[in-house]
C-alpha cells in the first residue's frame, strides 16, 4: 500500500466525519471543554493548511483540504469568534495558537490581531507559566499571526526536551510528543526542513529510527505518525528501510474507512459487525491520529516530489 493511499484514505474519513469538528454552543462557555471543541478544530485547520502548502494546486488533494480549511474557518465565523474568546480569557494562549493555523494559510482577522498584539505586550502574557514546548509554540504562533514574538526562539528552544539533546534512553510518550512539536514549530510544520538546527537534525537522524520502531511495536499509531512527519521534516530523512517498514506497518493498522486508531489493535469490521468501509472507532479515539496520518503522508509525498531521493529510498 502506498503512502499516497494512506493520505487519501485518511482524508476520505476526515471529509466524511467533518461534522465532528463543528463548534457547538459550548465553544464560548465558561465551563466549556476546549479539548473537545477548539482543539480538534485547530488541529484540522493546521493539518489542512500544511497539506495545502505542500501540494500543487492541480492535485485533487489540494482542493479537498482547501475545502476543509474553508469549512473550519467558517466555524470561527470567519475569525469573529477570536476577539470574543480573547474577551472571555485574555491571557489564554490557545485562541492565538488556533488562529495562527488559519493565519498561516491566509485567513486573517485584523481586529483580533490588533487586540492580541496589545495583550502580548503585557507582563502577564510574557509570564504565563507553560511547558517549554508550549512556550516555543506560542512564540511561533505570534510570529505567524503578525505579532512581535515576546521572546527569542533559541531561548525557548533551549528549555525543551529535544533542545537539550537528552540521553536517548530517556525517550517516552510525553517526550515523544514534545519533540515532534518542537520540530513542527521550528520547520513551520514541515515547510522548511533546512530551518532545523544542525545539531538537532543530526541527533534525530540517529535516534528517530529506534524511537519510531519502539512506537510502532507498541501500536502507538498517533505518535508514530507524528514521528513520520518529523522524518519528512528533516533536512536528510532516515534511510529507506526504516521508512518503508514504518509505512507498511502504519498502512496495515489503517481501517478500510481511512480511520487510524490512536493506539492498540485495529478493530476488525467483519468480526465486530459494521459493514466493510465503516469505522468502528469513536470520533475522539481516532480523529487526531487520522489527521496525523494524512499530515505525515502529505509531507512524505512532497519530499518525494521536490527532492531527489536517489539512494535514500523514501517509499512511494
Amino acid at each position: 500500500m502506498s503512502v499516497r493511499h494512506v493520505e487519501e484514505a485518511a482524508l476520505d474519513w476526515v471529509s466524511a466525519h467533518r461534522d465532528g469538528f463543528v463548534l457547538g454552543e459550548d465553544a464560548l462557555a465558561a465551563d466549556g471543554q476546549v479539548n473537545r471543541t477548539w482543539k480538534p478544530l485547530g488541529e484540522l485547520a493546521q493539518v489542512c493548511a500544511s497539506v495545502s502548502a505542500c501540494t500543487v494546486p492541480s492535485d485533487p488533494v489540494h482542493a479537498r483540504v482547501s475545502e476543509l480549511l474553508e469549512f473550519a474557518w467558517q466555524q470561527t465565523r470567519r475569525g469573529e469568534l477570536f476577539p470574543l474568546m480573547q474577551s472571555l480569557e485574555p491571557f489564554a494562549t490557545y485562541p492565538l495558537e488556533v488562529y495562527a493555523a488559519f493565519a498561516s494559510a491566509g485567513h486573517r482577522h485584523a481586529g483580533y490581531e490588533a487586540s492580541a498584539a496589545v495583550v502580548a505586550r503585557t507582563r502577564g502574557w510574557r509570564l504565563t507559566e507553560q511547558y517549554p514546548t508550549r512556550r516555543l509554540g506560542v512564540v511561533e504562533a505570534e510570529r505567524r499571526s503578525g505579532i512581535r514574538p515576546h521572546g527569542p526562539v533559541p531561548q525557548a528552544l533551549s528549555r525543551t526536551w529535544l533542545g537539550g539533546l537528552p540521553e536517548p534512553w530517556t525517550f517516552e510518550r510525553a517526550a515523544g510528543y514534545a519533540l515532534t512539536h518542537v520540530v513542527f514549530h521550528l520547520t513551520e510544520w514541515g515547510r522548511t526542513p533546512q530551518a532545523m538546527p544542525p545539531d538537532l537534525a543530526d541527533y534525530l537522524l540517529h535516534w528517530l529510527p529506534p524511537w519510531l520502531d519502539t512506537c510502532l511495536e507498541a501500536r502507538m499509531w498517533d505518535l508514530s505518525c507524528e514521528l513520520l512527519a518529523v522524518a519528512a521534516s528533516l533536512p536528510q530523512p532516515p534511510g529507506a528501510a526504516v521508512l518503508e517498514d514504518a509505512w507498511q506497518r502504519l498502512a496495515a493498522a489503517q481501517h478500510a474507512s481511512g480511520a487510524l486508531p490512536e493506539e492498540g489493535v485495529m478493530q476488525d469490521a467483519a468480526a465486530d459487525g459494521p459493514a466493510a468501509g465503516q469505522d468502528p472507532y469513536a470520533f475522539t479515539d481516532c480523529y487526531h491520529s487520522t489527521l496525523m496520518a494524512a499530515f505525515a503522508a502529505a509531507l512524505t509525498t512532497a519530499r518525494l516530489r521536490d527532492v531527489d531521493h536517489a539512494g535514500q529510498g523514501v517509499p512511494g
Side-chain angles (χ1 to χ4, degrees):
M1 182 179 291
S2 70
V3 177
R4 173 72 178 204
H5 182 87
V6 171
E7 177 185 9
E8 292 177 340
L11 289 174
D12 283 343
W13 184 91
V14 172
S15 296
H17 293 78
R18 73 178 194 173
D19 286 350
F21 298 96
V22 170
L23 289 180
E25 295 182 358
D26 60 339
L28 295 176
D31 58 349
Q33 298 184 31
V34 174
N35 286 341
R36 291 183 176 272
T37 56
W38 286 99
K39 184 174 182 287
L41 186 73
E43 289 162 343
L44 174 66
Q46 182 59 71
V47 168
C48 289
S50 298
V51 175
S52 175
C54 69
T55 54
V56 296
S58 60
D59 189 332
V61 165
H62 185 90
R64 172 176 287 189
V65 295
S66 296
E67 180 182 352
L68 286 168
L69 184 62
E70 180 62 26
F71 160 80
W73 183 238
Q74 292 292 344
Q75 291 301 306
T76 72
R77 301 178 195 169
R78 303 193 66 80
E80 290 295 326
L81 290 188
F82 290 105
L84 292 175
M85 293 165 66
Q86 186 178 54
S87 68
L88 294 171
E89 298 183 84
F91 296 99
T93 60
Y94 74 87
L96 183 65
E97 294 170 271
V98 173
Y99 177 79
F102 289 108
S104 69
H107 292 291
R108 314 293 290 251
H109 189 283
Y112 172 67
E113 291 183 17
S115 61
V118 172
V119 173
R121 290 196 295 268
T122 65
R123 291 189 298 275
W125 179 269
R126 294 195 304 271
L127 298 174
T128 299
E129 296 189 11
Q130 296 167 316
Y131 287 113
T133 302
R134 185 74 178 275
R135 175 66 69 182
L136 176 64
V138 172
V139 170
E140 284 300 295
E142 290 168 335
R143 182 189 61 78
R144 292 196 293 167
S145 302
I147 298 171
R148 182 179 179 180
H150 72 273
V153 168
Q155 180 180 352
L157 174 61
S158 68
R159 296 175 179 172
T160 66
W161 187 86
L162 178 61
L165 299 177
E167 299 84 355
W169 50 265
T170 62
F171 174 89
E172 40 76 45
R173 183 192 298 264
Y177 280 110
L179 83 85
T180 60
H181 283 72
V182 166
V183 173
F184 299 156
H185 298 321
L186 292 177
T187 64
E188 296 188 61
W189 292 80
R191 297 184 191 186
T192 57
Q194 299 306 322
M196 278 294 296
D199 58 338
L200 299 190
D202 290 342
Y203 178 81
L204 288 171
L205 183 62
H206 189 74
W207 292 112
L208 186 63
W211 292 340
L212 176 59
D213 181 67
T214 296
C215 291
L216 289 167
E217 185 67 25
R219 298 190 179 98
M220 299 168 63
W221 309 119
D222 186 60
L223 183 52
S224 295
C225 286
E226 292 204 9
L227 291 174
L228 280 168
V230 166
S233 301
L234 297 178
Q236 179 184 349
V242 171
L243 295 180
E244 185 71 42
D245 175 69
W247 277 108
Q248 288 181 358
R249 291 159 76 178
L250 194 69
Q254 188 176 35
H255 191 266
S257 66
L260 184 73
E262 288 197 359
E263 57 184 42
V265 180
M266 186 190 81
Q267 297 294 326
D268 185 347
D272 293 343
Q278 293 182 348
D279 65 272
Y281 311 112
F283 179 82
T284 54
D285 293 336
C286 68
Y287 87 85
H288 187 268
S289 41
T290 304
L291 283 173
M292 287 299 103
F295 174 50
L299 290 184
T300 300
T301 54
R303 293 297 293 273
L304 280 167
R305 184 192 67 236
D306 298 336
V307 180
D308 179 12
H309 284 281
Q312 295 183 27
V314 176

